[in-house]
Structures are given as C-alpha cells and as structure tokens.
Amino acid sequence: MDIAALRSANPDHWMKAAAIRALTLDAVAAANSGHSGMPMGMADVATVLYEKHLKFDAAAPNWPDRDRFILSAGHGSMLIYSLLHLTGYEQFPIEELKNFRQLGARTAGHPENFLADGIETTTGPLGQGIANSVGFAMAEEILRARHGKKVVDHHTYVIAGDGCLMEGVSQEAIALAGRHELSKLIVFWDNNNITIDGTVELSDRTDQVARFKASGWHVQEIDGHDPAAIDAAITAAKKSKQPSMIACKTHIALGHAAQDTSKGHGALTDAGQLAAAKEGYGWSYGPFEIPADVKSQWEEIGRRGAADRFAWQERFDALSDRKKADFTRELEGEAPKKLSATIKALKKQISEETPKVATRKSSEMVLEVVNPILPETVGGSADLTGSNNTKTANLGIFDVDNRGGRFIHWGIREHGMAAAMNGMALHGMVRPYSGTFMCFTDYARPAMRLSALMQQPVVYVMTHDSIGLGEDGPTHQPVEHLAMLRATPNTLVFRPADTVETAEAWEIALTQKGTPSVLSLTRQNLPTVRVEHKQKNLVAQGGYVLADADGKRQVILLATGSEVEIALAARDLLQAEGIGTRVVSMPCMELFAQQDESYRKRVLPAGAVRVAVEAGVRQGWDRWLLGERGREAKSDFVGMDSFGASAPAEVLYEKFGITAANVAEKAKALL
C-alpha cells in the first residue's frame, strides 16, 4: 500500500485518520496488550462516517435521536475510544486512553456499554454487535411509527469484521434485517481477509457480497482507504430502501510492518516498528500527543451535531404535554402508574376463580391486561407463538407495512432473537420480551449472558420448562437449564407456581431497569395455589411461606413452579401422620437471596428437616437445603439427576420419583 500517495491525496483527512492510528499504537503499546490492526485499517471509514454523516453531539451523548454507532468487531476497541476522545466526549480525556485495559478505566479491553456514554453496546463476542444492530434498527422503526418522524429519525451504523460474519448469529441477524427491510441499518464490512490463525481462506470461502444480496441487502464494494468512495457509498446507502452493507477493502495494520498479516490483528508493541509506522504516516509527535490543529478539527466534528440536536429539541418542545410525558416516561424506563393496580386486580380475580391452567397460559393472561397499558412492550416468539403464548390481542405484527406492530415473528432464530432484543433494550424506549422453549436457552445463551452483563431488562419467556412437557422427550426437556440460568450473575429467574405468582413475576420483570428476567413456564396445567388474595407482591420476596405447619414444625418443603402442588400434597400426607410441615414457595432464588437475613431465617428457620422438590437438577439448591452456613438442617432433594424420556407427563413424574408420596418418604427418612 502506497502510504505516501494516501497522505498526499487528501492531507486533511489523512491527518485526522492518522490520529486514530497513532492513538491506537500508543495505547496498545502502553498496555502491552490489545488489538491494533482493525482500528488502523478502519480509521479512514470511521473518520468519514464521523465527519460527514454520523448525527451526534459529543456534549449530549444520550440525545435520544442520535445515530447509533456499533463496533461489532469489539476487539478493535481503540477505534471507538480514539473517536470518543478526539471528538470531545467529557468521559474520555487522554488519561483514559493512557490507561487502556487497566483496572478502573473506561477503556476496557472490549467496549462496555455500562462504563461510559458513547458506547452503545458491549461487544467482543463476535457477531453480537451486528445482531444487536437489528434490534436497534427495529426499535427505531417502531418508535418512529409511535412518536413520529419529527422526534425519531436516525440511523444505526455498524463496523463488522470477518470474524463477526463467520459467527452463526450473524446470518440470523442478516436474514432478519433483509426480511424486514431495515433501511436505516448500514453495516461496514472490514474486508481485510485476516484472522488470528491466518488468512480467511484457511476456514472460509463465503462470497459475503452474494450472501448479503441473497438476504435482501443493498450492497456496495469500495476501497476502504478512499475517503471520497467511502463518502459516496454512505450517501448511497442512506438512500436505499434496504439495509446496506458496504464492503470496505482494507489493509489490517495499515502502514505497519505487520500490515496484511495475522500478526497485525493483535498487539503491535515493538518500539522500532511503531516509530517506523508513525514516520510513514508523517506523524512526528510523541506518545498520546495530538497536534492542536488536528484535535481542533476533530472537536469541531464533535460539535457538528449540536444544531441538529437543538432543532430536535424545538420539535420535541412543540409536542403536546401528553406526548412529551409519554416519550419521557418511556425514555426513563419508568412503568406506568396503572401497572400495579392492574396486576392487583388480576391477582384478586384469579384467587377468587382459581383456574387450573399452564403457567404459559397464565403469562398470556397477564400480558392481555398489561400490554394495553404499556405501549413500550414489544413481544415475539421464535416460531412458537401458539406454544409460548406471547401474542396478545391488538399488538399488531411488526412488518414492512406495519412499523407500529408490536409482535415480531423471529423465526427459528433463538440466538438472533435474544441479541436483537438486547439491541432494542439498549436503544431505549422499548421493553422487549420474547419466547421459546426453555431447552432452547442453549441457543440463546450467549446473548442472554450479555443481557445480564449489559444490565438490560430484557424478558425471556421460556415455556415447556421441565419433563412435564411430556412426549417430545429428553431433547426438549430441560433439566440443567434452571441451574445454568441461576448461576448467571444479575439475572432474575422466575419459576411461578400459578397465575398469581406469574402476575407478580411479570410485575417485577416490567419494573426492572438494569436486570434481565427469565420466566420458566409450564406446558401442563397447574392449580391455583394462591387462593387467598394478597395485595403485597410475595414473589418480590423470592421465597415465602405458602402453607405453614399445623402443630410442631418438623419438616420444611421447598418447591418451585409445577412442583409446588406436589409439595402441598406431600404436606397433606405428612400432616395426616401428625408431622407438622411447612411449604415454602421459592419462585425466585435471586430475590430471596437479596432479602434480609432475618427474613430468610423466618422463612427457613433451623431445626426442621428440609426437602426441596423441582423437576430439574439439584445444583443451586444446597444453599437453602443445608442452610446458608451449610450445617443448619438435614436435607434431601427430589428432582432430576439424568435426562428425561418420551412419555406422558404424569408417567414421567412417576418414573423419576417426583411425587408427593416420595417427597413425604424422603422427609420422614430424615426425622
């Protein structure tokens, strides 16, 4: 690559882009860690995007109608950190770049949305960013339909690399975007043909241009180091009625000795090679030194969007008070005041009518009364709408000709669905929920983990949650999944026992601001166990006494979901023999763990033997069975220690010993 020719062709552009390259080299060298090559290769694309197209104001990073920029190739994090520093974001002084990858710095090894403004999403696991971007673009469409183009009208831009496009979730995302004609989504493919192991041809021969075209995208191919070509391609992409992919042919680690090699992907720390690269750039400045004229030009780019923001504010201020209030409430993530009263009314009705329904149906009953008062909820299902019960009346189907539709047919794409829901939540003003079978959390798991890490209140409706689904057999019967989800930090896992608990779980999930929720719901019908109406949300306590002992308390039975009725039946058997038995419903272990120790001790006092019953593996139960100090109670567990089988649910419960009689016998054996 002729660096001198690039420099002379457009010197002003060159120096701005060189600032990104120099900062990248300096920060990676200081940390002795990182990925230099991608920021050096994509600096020209980023410079043109920020200078000429991206709608943002560095002084107001969270302006609602800003364009969103997503660095899907998150290992190249110095690209976004350099841009945030150069354009004048307050949270990114040069000291942050000097502390790249160090404890307490905002400049983490991969971009983390919760550390600083200007970072729209957490990326690093390849493919997640481009999949998030579909949710961002969907949210923009939905909100524009709801609030109008005057206050919602922006683009989502993505930089994705070869690795992002190899990950399977990228195909799920690309297919969804093409199907829904998300015209405000523009992806730059960093086409440098290099992975860690070597050239892309080692493992892949996909024609990415043909692939995107086949999925319904507008595609252009350009020289990723030609600013005029980059500018023209973005201009054309913004006019397209399809999502756009711009294939940018670039040189990884441009101008460095490691250019166009797999070594260029990683940390370039050799002092001599660093100096030589800077000399080739015409960059005669010390480490982390940006000449005043270049910094001034970049800061002007950071201020360029202020006029757009002020104009937006005028349009927003001209809205009616009601429209402004609705917009602001959604923006702040506040649930409407009606939610609590609506949930209480449903609970009272259920306690009086005591229906016997599957909790997947219970969930639908809750959504039927909740969706009309929360216009920000957007539901969906991974091709299991009739099984997950996530679609309610009058939501409308989100589609090309109905951007206001609030139900999304995700297709058989659990991973892409979960990642796109993250994008919706990150965009803001949308509360996404969608369903699949509990067993297929395996497919959605990488994005579910990121919901927790990114502190996004996505709701996962996971039905068919145990061997109780019956004849579909062990491939579809989750046994380890509750334990896996409960092991994930910052995740609320709800397994409600009836419609009342389901309503309370939904109320909690819909009022979260920084925590995702998983609703584990049954296929089989369950009786109403909360027959006495309580105004208080008992699920918010995580665990509570559902039925207390008659006489001296000798046994405590703990259960969740479909096994609560089994625990109650076991209590009847034990009480008939004069053995005082308490039943504790434990719909959410995470919330129970958050309660005061004094409350937990009142619910689970020392002295009585304890038996837990759940149609899953034991892992996660010992804290409550053995006592929090591990010595407070004799205990046992009734559940699964193997995969299930194909048979009717009642046959399976008998086969695996998840019965009231077995629970009672286990308890008596401990006395």
Side-chain angles (χ1 to χ4, degrees):
M1 193 73 188
D2 189 344
I3 298 297
L6 290 175
R7 285 172 53 188
S8 61
N10 195 326
D12 282 347
H13 164 85
W14 175 263
M15 289 301 285
K16 287 194 287 286
I20 295 172
R21 295 180 172 113
L23 286 172
T24 295
L25 286 166
D26 291 338
V28 172
N32 197 32
S33 171
H35 298 81
S36 311
M38 192 283 283
M40 296 166 69
M42 287 297 283
D44 296 302
V45 171
T47 299
V48 174
L49 174 64
Y50 270 67
E51 182 176 15
K52 297 181 181 290
H53 295 277
L54 193 74
K55 183 174 69 171
F56 76 107
D57 181 358
N62 299 314
W63 167 36
D65 201 38
R66 68 192 180 280
D67 287 343
R68 270 64 169 180
F69 171 63
I70 296 170
L71 186 65
S72 188
H75 55 276
S77 56
M78 269 309 303
L79 178 66
I80 194 168
Y81 300 150
S82 297
L83 290 163
L84 293 171
H85 167 68
L86 290 166
T87 54
Y89 279 74
E90 183 180 359
Q91 293 180 335
F92 284 88
I94 197 66
E95 288 74 23
E96 287 290 342
L97 278 64
K98 291 179 179 179
N99 286 320
F100 178 52
R101 289 182 159 232
Q102 305 308 301
L103 184 64
R106 294 188 176 97
T107 48
H110 294 86
E112 308 287 3
N113 69 294
F114 49 86
L115 291 181
D117 297 330
I119 301 172
E120 301 289 357
T121 181
T122 294
T123 55
L126 294 176
Q128 291 295 323
I130 190 172
N132 291 165
S133 75
V134 174
F136 275 89
M138 282 181 163
E140 194 272 347
E141 295 280 4
I142 291 167
L143 292 168
R144 182 150 36 90
R146 182 152 79 240
H147 292 288
K149 190 174 181 179
K150 289 182 179 180
V151 290
V152 181
D153 187 19
H154 53 264
H155 287 81
T156 300
Y157 296 95
V158 184
I159 287 180
D162 295 303
C164 290
L165 301 189
M166 286 189 201
E167 289 288 357
V169 71
S170 73
Q171 182 56 37
E172 298 183 24
I174 291 163
L176 279 164
R179 164 62 183 82
H180 288 291
E181 299 180 17
L182 301 178
S183 61
K184 288 183 172 289
L185 175 59
I186 299 174
V187 173
F188 302 96
W189 170 34
D190 179 18
N191 179 17
N192 61 39
N193 198 42
I194 295 295
T195 65
I196 292 174
D197 282 355
T199 61
V200 169
E201 284 80 6
L202 286 172
S203 57
D204 194 22
R205 60 169 55 173
T206 303
D207 183 338
Q208 297 291 357
V209 168
R211 176 191 176 203
F212 275 81
K213 285 181 178 177
S215 295
W217 287 58
H218 174 260
V219 181
Q220 303 171 78
E221 297 179 75
I222 64 168
D223 177 351
H225 300 299
D226 180 345
I230 297 165
D231 183 22
I234 299 173
T235 299
K238 287 160 72 174
K239 294 177 181 177
S240 173
K241 293 183 179 180
Q242 300 167 287
S244 287
M245 188 272 264
I246 303 173
C248 306
K249 189 59 186 172
T250 61
H251 295 272
I252 199 168
L254 180 75
H256 190 278
Q259 177 182 312
D260 299 330
T261 70
S262 59
K263 187 178 187 306
H265 173 89
L268 303 178
T269 58
D270 180 273
Q273 292 178 346
L274 186 154
K278 284 189 174 182
E279 183 178 355
Y281 297 157
W283 193 266
S284 57
Y285 310 99
F288 299 102
E289 182 183 355
I290 307 295
D293 61 329
V294 174
K295 186 66 166 75
S296 176
Q297 290 176 61
W298 269 113
E299 288 175 349
E300 182 58 33
I301 292 170
R303 290 189 291 268
R304 177 177 52 79
D308 284 334
R309 180 170 64 86
F310 292 142
W312 177 87
Q313 189 65 53
E314 289 182 354
R315 295 193 299 273
F316 180 78
D317 290 342
L319 297 175
S320 69
D321 289 345
R322 173 66 181 274
K323 287 182 177 180
K324 283 188 288 189
D326 289 345
F327 189 97
T328 301
R329 182 189 64 76
E330 293 171 22
L331 184 65
E332 293 175 352
E334 297 290 347
K337 294 178 181 178
K338 290 182 181 178
L339 178 62
S340 178
T342 300
I343 294 292
K344 286 184 176 71
L346 178 62
K347 285 167 52 180
K348 188 173 188 295
Q349 175 189 339
I350 296 301
S351 294
E352 292 170 352
E353 296 177 358
T354 65
K356 185 174 184 178
V357 295
T359 51
R360 60 171 175 159
K361 178 63 178 178
S362 301
S363 175
E364 181 184 34
M365 294 162 68
V366 179
L367 289 170
E368 286 284 6
V369 298
V370 161
N371 278 334
I373 64 169
L374 273 87
E376 62 267 38
T377 55
V378 174
S381 175
D383 200 53
L384 291 165
T385 300
S387 295
N388 299 149
N389 296 66
T390 47
K391 183 177 182 291
T392 60
N394 303 316
L395 276 184
I397 306 299
F398 176 81
D399 210 335
V400 176
D401 58 358
N402 184 22
R403 296 310 202 190
R406 292 165 55 199
F407 187 85
I408 298 170
H409 288 288
W410 293 106
I412 304 137
R413 302 184 180 98
E414 292 88 355
H415 195 177
M417 173 183 78
M421 286 200 294
N422 281 341
M424 288 181 168
L426 287 157
H427 180 283
M429 302 182 67
V430 171
R431 278 198 176 268
Y433 71 87
S434 284
T436 185
F437 288 176
M438 182 73 165
C439 198
F440 302 144
T441 53
D442 287 339
Y443 290 144
R445 164 72 179 158
M448 296 177 75
R449 178 177 185 266
L450 283 171
S451 299
L453 178 63
M454 295 192 293
Q455 303 167 22
Q456 297 305 304
V458 177
V459 182
Y460 296 96
V461 182
M462 299 303 186
T463 68
H464 298 60
D465 73 341
S466 73
I467 61 170
L469 70 88
E471 291 87 344
D472 275 342
T475 59
H476 284 51
Q477 292 167 2
V479 293
E480 75 275 28
H481 298 72
L482 283 166
M484 173 190 73
L485 292 165
R486 287 168 178 159
T488 306
N490 191 40
T491 300
L492 297 178
V493 182
F494 297 97
R495 192 160 187 257
D498 66 1
T499 305
V500 175
E501 284 196 352
T502 304
E504 292 181 341
W506 265 112
E507 181 179 19
I508 296 162
L510 291 171
T511 52
Q512 294 302 303
K513 289 191 175 183
T515 302
S517 299
V518 179
L519 273 67
S520 175
L521 306 173
T522 68
R523 176 178 185 260
Q524 71 271 35
N525 290 339
L526 304 180
T528 300
V529 297
R530 287 274 296 279
V531 294
E532 182 183 349
H533 175 59
K534 301 281 188 183
Q535 289 280 99
K536 186 176 182 180
N537 187 320
L538 299 185
V539 169
Q541 298 171 146
Y544 62 94
V545 177
L546 178 62
D548 214 346
D550 291 334
K552 181 184 178 183
R553 181 178 57 243
Q554 299 180 65
V555 174
I556 300 176
L557 303 179
L558 301 89
T560 72
S562 47
E563 286 68 70
V564 170
E565 67 166 318
I566 293 174
L568 289 169
R571 175 185 178 273
D572 290 343
L573 295 175
L574 291 165
Q575 287 288 169
E577 296 185 36
I579 301 171
T581 302
R582 168 181 286 188
V583 173
V584 172
S585 180
M586 186 79 79
C588 184
M589 289 186 182
E590 296 78 25
L591 290 176
F592 188 65
Q594 293 173 17
Q595 305 306 305
D596 292 341
E597 184 180 13
S598 59
Y599 173 77
R600 298 198 303 269
K601 283 185 173 180
R602 288 200 303 275
V603 174
L604 298 176
V609 301
R610 302 178 187 180
V611 178
V613 53
E614 185 173 70
V617 299
R618 177 170 178 152
Q619 188 172 342
W621 274 103
D622 281 349
R623 178 178 179 184
W624 316 118
L625 285 175
L626 302 177
E628 298 187 53
R629 293 170 182 79
R631 59 179 185 273
E632 295 170 26
K634 293 180 179 179
S635 64
D636 208 341
F637 177 75
V638 175
M640 300 295 294
D641 58 9
S642 68
F643 293 110
S646 178
E650 60 274 15
V651 174
L652 292 173
Y653 272 81
E654 189 71 35
K655 170 181 169 52
F656 291 105
I658 307 176
T659 64
N662 192 34
V663 172
E665 288 303 315
K666 294 278 189 181
K668 287 192 289 185
L670 294 170
L671 291 173

